[in-house]
């Protein structure tokens, strides 16, 4: 279940997932976004804008070892 955002023209999850992959989730400023950073960023943003009604999750180990995108 995803909550749609009229101002973003996407569901909140998709909007913040993409925004995170393009640099928003680079929490350690390494220019490499790993799954742990993307989860932290996306979960925080989506939970906040949805009033806690939507909370993204990831299952797995070593999420900080799984690169998702490189910013250049």
């Amino acid at each position: 279940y995803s909550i749609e955002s009229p101002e973003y023209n996407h569901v909140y999850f998709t909007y913040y997932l993409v925004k995170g992959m393009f640099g928003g989730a680079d929490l350690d400023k390494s220019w490499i976004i790993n799954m742990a950073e993307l989860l932290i960023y996306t979960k925080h943003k989506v939970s906040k804008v949805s009033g806690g009604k939507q909370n993204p999750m990831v299952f797995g180990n070593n999420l900080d070892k799984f690169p998702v995108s490189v910013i250049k």
Side-chain angles (χ1 to χ4, degrees), residues 6-46:
E7 70 262 23
Y8 298 149
N9 203 27
H10 286 287
V11 295
Y12 288 125
F13 176 77
T14 302
Y15 177 80
Y16 284 109
L17 182 72
V18 171
K19 189 171 178 164
M21 290 174 68
F22 277 94
D26 189 18
L27 304 177
D28 64 2
K29 307 296 184 213
S30 67
W31 300 96
I32 299 171
I33 297 170
N34 62 48
M35 190 60 146
E37 290 176 309
L38 189 57
L39 172 62
I40 291 166
Y41 175 82
T42 305
K43 185 171 184 155
H44 171 75
K45 295 290 190 178
V46 171

Side-chain angles (χ1 to χ4, degrees), residues 60-71:
N61 298 314
N62 300 316
L63 298 177
D64 61 325
K65 309 281 190 246
F66 180 58
V68 177
S69 65
V70 176
I71 306 164

